[in-house]
């Protein structure tokens, strides 16, 4: 019937609709996150994967006959933090199941997971436009979380050409949670935003120690398309009906890979259906810089995995008190942190998001410490300045961040101590130094100058020596007379932005003694512009 509907619907009848608008894309995502835990899920072996291959293994990890699983309670806490953060209903009783399949990275011939009675159900995550969702999704979109389940990771497989597989069992048994979304995503851009925000939430509550770039998260995406002019598709999932046949793309390890793989698979499926073909339920793969997904194997159904309750593991029973403790003690989530920075500190939304995302939150902690220093150690006007948070954020993100980028250094609070940056900003806000001098001081401290900031200012003679009103006017008059064309653009053509050229030239000519706001005030007066920032001399 789908084929007939496509054949009976002339492509020209849809006016200027694009090819993709004629089809509805539906995506569900499964995220596998390595828990921030010291021990494996069912053995006392360490979870470190950086040691020598096969150094961190227990008998049970290797499926030695007679070995038994022993659940490690410490692995539960990071999983519960994630469930609370995603507003899930935590099940006070959950159970473990065996998922049977044969592959060299799973020595027991089955994976221990939670298929029938998972740890948590019915969660949600809300994405906003500033999270990078597709414009078609409007200001926000809420994606349901079907369930979160505890499970084991597999061994790491390394191909040694031509046909040898090397197995490192350090990773096998590493505790994971699998987070399964509902198929409520309809745009590749939103799918990437979903994974990106999920990672930020899991990092914020210390559920994971590393992100996708280090292999701490992996994503599988389920993709289907449906022709909008046809009857609803015959497939359903957890109450969502009318879906097309889905395919699964496994082991995506970056946000870009998630978006690009979905785009490629969407286009492939549309092409198959437009040619009158049908979509097979199958598992497909994706490699970096590809333009098409590749078939890996036919999709296995539930019967093929032969799920069964694990007879060696008791049910996992969680007290209500523990759940309440996690709810109270969970750290603030990125959305709340961003909202506080914008509302209470007047930091721009873009800068607030940057602070929350940078350096696993260390840059934000540095900023908060900096503001405390400024409020306690600065003068009264500095401490009460409503723009203090915005000013401090600019120095932390852009000025200090620029030096880090130029040097290709990783952020550390010891590179420029909070007290040093606070002293620089305090001197600047009290007009003891110019902005240019403040940047010079930051560069000196960044490069290892261990002197107190006030000592550097005194010894290097960097203290601002204010020019007289006559000296400001003399500099301004000289520049205006030397640049008549620029003056004409400002006065005749109204290009007031060109005024900043003259401000910059005055500061250069003044040798660190010119304040930008005073310079602009003088220039506006001489050019007879409306006074927006003129300062009394």
């Amino acid at each position: 019937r789908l084929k007939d509907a496509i054949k009976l619907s002339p492509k020209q009848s849809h006016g200027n609709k694009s090819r993709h608008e004629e089809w509805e894309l539906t995506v569900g995502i499964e995220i596998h996150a390595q828990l921030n835990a010291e021990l494996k899920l069912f053995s006392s072996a360490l979870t470190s994967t950086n040691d020598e291959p096969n150094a961190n293994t227990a008998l049970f990890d290797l499926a030695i006959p007679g070995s038994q699983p022993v659940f490690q309670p410490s692995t539960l806490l990071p999983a519960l933090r994630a469930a609370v953060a995603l507003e899930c209903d935590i099940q006070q009783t959950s159970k473990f199941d065996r998922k049977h399949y044969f592959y060299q990275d799973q020595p027991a011939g089955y994976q221990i997971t939670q298929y029938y009675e998972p740890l948590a159900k019915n969660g949600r995550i809300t994405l906003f436009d500033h999270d990078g969702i597709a414009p078609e999704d409007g200001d926000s979109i809420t994606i349901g979380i079907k369930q979160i389940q505890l499970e084991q990771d597999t061994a790491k497989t390394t191909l040694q050409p031509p046909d040898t597989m090397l197995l490192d069992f350090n990773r096998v048994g590493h505790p994971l949670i699998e987070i399964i979304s509902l198929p409520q995503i309809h745009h590749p851009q939103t799918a990437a935003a979903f994974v990106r925000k999920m990672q930020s939430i899991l990092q914020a509550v210390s559920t994971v120690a590393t992100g996708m770039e280090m292999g701490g998260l992996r994503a599988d995406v389920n993709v289907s398309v449906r022709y909008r002019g046809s009857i609803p598709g015959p497939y359903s999932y957890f109450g969502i009906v009318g879906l097309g046949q889905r395919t699964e793309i496994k082991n995506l390890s970056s946000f870009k890979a998630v978006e690009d793989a979905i785009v490629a698979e969407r286009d492939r499926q549309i092409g198959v259906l437009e040619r009158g073909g049908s979509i097979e339920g199958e598992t497909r793969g994706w490699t970096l810089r590809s333009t098409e997904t590749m078939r890996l194997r036919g999709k296995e159904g539930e019967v093929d995995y032969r799920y069964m309750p694990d007879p060696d593991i008791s049910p996992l029973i969680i007290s209500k008190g523990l759940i309440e403790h996690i709810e109270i003690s969970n750290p603030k989530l990125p959305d709340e942190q961003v909202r506080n920075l914008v509302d209470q500190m007047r930091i721009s939304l873009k800068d607030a998001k940057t602070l929350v995302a940078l350096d696993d939150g260390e840059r934000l902690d540095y900023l908060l410490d900096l503001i405390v220093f400024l409020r306690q150690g600065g003068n009264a006007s500095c401490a009460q300045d409503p723009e203090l948070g915005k000013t401090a954020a600019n120095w932390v993100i852009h000025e200090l961040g620029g030096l880090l980028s130029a040097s290709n250094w990783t952020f550390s609070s010891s590179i420029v101590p909070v007290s040093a940056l606070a002293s620089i900003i305090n001197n600047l806000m009290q007009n003891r130094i110019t902005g240019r001098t403040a940047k010079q001081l930051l560069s000196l401290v960044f490069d290892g100058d261990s002197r107190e900031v006030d000592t550097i200012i005194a010894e290097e003679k960097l203290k601002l020596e204010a020019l007289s009103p006559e000296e400001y006017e003399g500099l301004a008059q000289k520049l205006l007379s030397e640049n008549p064309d620029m003056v004409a653009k400002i006065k005749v053509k109204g290009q007031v932005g060109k005024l900043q050229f003259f401000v910059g030239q005055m500061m250069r000519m003044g040798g660190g003694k010119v304040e930008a706001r005073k310079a602009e005030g003088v220039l506006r007066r001489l050019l007879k512009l409306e006074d927006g920032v003129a300062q009394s001399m």
Side-chain angles (χ1 to χ4, degrees):
R1 285 182 291 180
L2 177 60
K3 295 178 187 177
D4 292 340
I6 295 173
K7 291 175 182 176
L8 292 174
S9 301
K11 293 182 181 179
Q12 302 302 322
S13 67
H14 295 281
N16 60 0
K17 271 191 173 183
S18 72
R19 177 193 187 201
H20 296 147
E21 288 177 327
E22 298 177 344
W23 296 85
E24 181 182 61
L25 168 72
T26 300
V27 177
I29 300 180
E30 301 167 7
I31 292 179
H32 304 266
Q34 288 185 351
L35 295 179
N36 182 16
E38 292 185 0
L39 303 179
K40 295 186 178 182
L41 190 58
F42 293 108
S43 81
S44 58
L46 297 176
T47 55
S48 175
T49 57
N50 297 322
D51 294 338
E52 288 294 316
N54 300 307
N56 297 318
T57 58
L59 295 178
F60 180 75
D61 301 330
L62 301 174
I64 300 299
S67 60
Q68 291 289 305
V70 179
F71 178 72
Q72 302 299 318
S74 61
T75 63
L76 177 62
L77 297 179
L80 288 176
R81 289 196 292 268
V84 169
L86 295 172
E87 301 182 44
C88 293
D89 297 329
I90 297 174
Q91 308 302 293
Q92 289 189 253
T93 300
S94 60
K95 298 180 180 180
F96 290 96
D97 308 298
R98 293 181 179 181
K99 177 182 179 181
H100 292 85
Y101 65 93
F102 178 76
Y103 202 66
Q104 68 261 19
D105 62 5
Q106 189 62 267
Y110 61 84
Q111 178 191 32
I112 300 177
T113 183
Q114 291 185 309
Y115 183 72
Y116 292 112
E117 298 185 45
L119 176 72
K121 301 178 181 178
N122 304 327
R124 65 177 183 173
I125 179 173
T126 300
L127 310 176
F128 299 95
D129 51 0
H130 58 73
D131 291 316
I133 61 177
E136 295 88 343
D137 286 322
D139 295 336
S140 66
I141 179 173
T142 298
I143 309 299
I145 304 297
K146 176 180 178 286
Q147 66 188 52
I148 297 178
Q149 58 200 44
L150 283 161
E151 60 186 30
Q152 298 171 300
D153 206 346
T154 57
K156 180 180 179 180
T157 302
T158 303
L159 174 63
Q160 190 176 56
D163 55 6
T164 299
M165 291 287 189
L166 300 179
L167 294 172
D168 179 6
F169 288 95
N170 282 347
R171 197 178 73 180
V172 75
H174 194 301
L176 299 177
I177 51 171
E178 181 176 356
I179 303 170
I180 304 173
S181 86
L182 293 177
Q184 295 175 327
I185 300 171
H186 300 289
H187 303 284
Q189 185 177 336
T190 301
F194 173 91
V195 179
R196 186 164 49 244
K197 186 159 189 177
M198 184 67 72
Q199 174 174 294
S200 71
I201 290 173
L202 297 180
Q203 289 177 329
V205 298
S206 297
T207 291
V208 298
T210 59
M212 292 192 102
E213 71 283 354
M214 299 295 291
L217 265 76
R218 304 189 296 276
D220 303 337
V221 296
N222 294 282
V223 179
S224 68
V225 298
R226 181 184 69 84
Y227 189 69
R228 293 186 187 276
S230 69
I231 60 173
Y235 299 94
S236 63
Y237 182 79
F238 205 65
I240 298 176
V241 299
L243 303 176
Q245 173 64 61
R246 67 183 173 94
T247 59
E248 184 177 29
I249 308 171
K250 301 284 285 186
N251 291 326
L252 301 174
S253 57
S254 72
F255 309 128
K256 188 176 189 311
V258 169
E259 184 169 357
D260 290 349
I262 291 172
V263 168
E265 181 59 13
R266 174 199 64 190
D267 293 349
R268 184 193 74 84
Q269 290 189 21
I270 290 174
V272 170
L273 294 172
E274 285 183 338
R275 292 190 297 269
S278 60
I279 302 301
E280 296 182 26
E282 58 189 3
T283 299
R284 301 183 69 84
W286 172 262
T287 56
L288 196 63
R289 291 183 290 275
S290 296
T291 56
E292 296 181 355
T293 60
M294 67 194 81
R295 188 180 192 275
L296 297 179
R297 58 185 179 271
K299 184 66 179 174
E300 297 172 317
E302 296 178 11
V303 175
D304 297 310
Y305 285 129
R306 303 189 314 281
Y307 286 100
M308 60 168 283
D310 193 304
D312 295 328
I313 306 175
S314 301
L316 179 58
I317 299 174
I318 304 170
S319 71
K320 189 175 181 180
L322 177 57
I323 298 173
E324 291 174 347
H325 171 73
I326 297 293
E327 291 173 342
I328 294 171
S329 61
N330 237 14
K332 289 181 180 178
L333 299 183
D335 281 347
E336 185 180 358
Q337 291 178 323
V338 168
R339 188 165 54 249
N340 289 343
L341 290 171
V342 172
D343 294 344
Q344 298 176 15
M345 298 188 184
R346 301 189 181 185
I347 296 173
S348 70
L349 178 61
K350 180 180 179 181
D351 282 352
K353 284 182 60 63
T354 299
L355 282 164
V356 170
L358 280 173
D359 308 309
D360 294 331
E362 288 186 26
R363 194 84 65 98
L364 176 57
D365 291 339
Y366 181 87
L367 171 67
L368 297 177
D369 289 343
L370 175 62
I371 292 173
V372 170
F373 262 89
L374 287 167
R375 285 181 173 156
Q376 293 179 349
N379 66 353
S381 61
C382 174
Q384 297 172 7
D385 189 335
E387 298 293 318
L388 180 62
K390 185 176 181 179
T391 300
N394 178 68
W395 280 89
V396 171
I397 298 172
H398 303 292
E399 303 303 338
L400 177 56
L403 292 173
L404 289 167
S405 297
S407 303
N408 199 26
W409 286 7
T410 301
F411 172 79
S412 169
S413 60
S414 62
I415 296 175
V416 176
V418 168
S419 58
L421 184 52
S423 181
I424 293 171
I425 296 173
N426 186 41
N427 275 284
L428 176 63
M429 295 182 75
Q430 294 188 59
N431 294 320
R432 293 173 183 164
I433 57 175
T434 63
R436 181 180 176 183
T437 301
K439 293 177 183 180
Q440 182 182 349
L441 285 167
L442 177 62
S443 183
L444 287 170
V445 176
F446 183 87
D447 289 336
D449 194 324
S450 59
R451 291 176 292 173
E452 295 289 332
V453 169
D454 287 344
T455 302
I456 299 176
I457 293 173
E459 292 180 354
E460 304 297 332
K461 297 181 173 57
L462 298 175
K463 185 176 180 181
L464 174 64
E465 297 178 5
L467 297 181
S468 68
E470 292 75 20
E471 288 173 312
Y472 269 97
E473 187 164 330
L475 287 173
Q477 288 281 19
K478 183 176 187 298
L479 285 169
L480 294 176
S481 63
E482 291 175 351
N483 296 275
D485 292 342
M486 190 74 76
V487 171
K489 289 179 181 179
I490 295 173
K491 297 188 68 174
V492 179
K493 297 184 179 180
Q495 298 179 6
V496 183
K498 302 288 187 184
L499 196 67
Q500 296 307 312
F501 164 78
F502 288 115
V503 173
Q505 290 299 306
M506 285 183 66
M507 293 181 70
R508 183 181 64 80
M509 293 170 62
K513 299 180 181 181
V514 172
E515 297 177 54
R517 291 175 64 84
K518 288 185 177 182
E520 184 172 344
V522 171
L523 289 164
R524 284 180 175 273
R525 178 169 55 81
L526 293 176
L527 292 170
K528 295 182 172 60
L529 300 176
E530 289 187 11
D531 187 14
V533 293
Q535 301 291 305
S536 62
M537 302 296 291

